[in-house]
Amino acid sequence: MTQEEKTRIEERIVDVLKTVYDPEIPVDIWNLGMIYKIDVQEDGTVDVDMTFTAPSCPAADFILEDVRTKIESVDGVTGANINLVFDPVWDQSMMSEEARVELGFE
């Protein structure tokens, strides 16, 4: 797989991640800054490091499964490994400007 193909897959992954929401927050997880890493491997598997806005997120299982399902639906992806990480700890500075405006922080 060429670097160009990996980049196209990563762009499509970002697009689908923008459709994943925490049910308690009206902003998608990409713009909330909850995705730390997307790494497309040669064989089409994707490694994703992500976090939650709070370690005790009640919707964690739902969100993780939604992320996995949507990433695996992207053409060229053969599987997804979703790694839940809490380092660095998420904070509001990780949100996009769009998210901060939507949530009334700006």
Side-chain angles (χ1 to χ4, degrees):
M1 180 179 303
T2 67
Q3 186 57 45
E4 187 176 303
E5 290 169 322
K6 287 181 181 183
T7 299
R8 278 198 303 269
I9 290 171
E10 185 175 323
E11 289 168 354
R12 289 193 300 264
I13 289 169
V14 169
D15 288 342
V16 298
L17 290 174
K18 289 180 178 179
T19 69
V20 178
Y21 288 81
D22 180 324
E24 297 178 343
I25 305 172
V27 176
D28 65 84
I29 64 170
W30 178 260
N31 282 299
L32 283 172
M34 293 169 50
I35 303 298
Y36 290 169
K37 178 186 89 170
I38 301 170
D39 188 16
V40 180
Q41 304 295 316
E42 290 293 324
D43 65 357
T45 57
V46 178
D47 294 318
V48 174
D49 287 355
M50 69 171 290
T51 195
F52 290 115
T53 56
S56 59
C57 176
D61 290 341
F62 168 78
I63 295 169
L64 286 171
E65 189 55 34
D66 200 22
V67 167
R68 180 183 328 284
T69 300
K70 288 184 176 174
I71 290 174
E72 288 179 345
S73 75
V74 171
D75 284 341
V77 172
T78 59
N81 302 310
I82 313 302
N83 306 305
L84 187 57
V85 298
F86 292 102
D87 186 27
V89 174
W90 181 90
D91 66 48
Q92 293 176 3
S93 71
M94 296 174 174
M95 292 190 291
S96 68
E97 183 177 338
E98 176 184 321
R100 285 193 293 278
V101 169
E102 177 73 26
L103 295 173
F105 292 115
E106 288 194 8

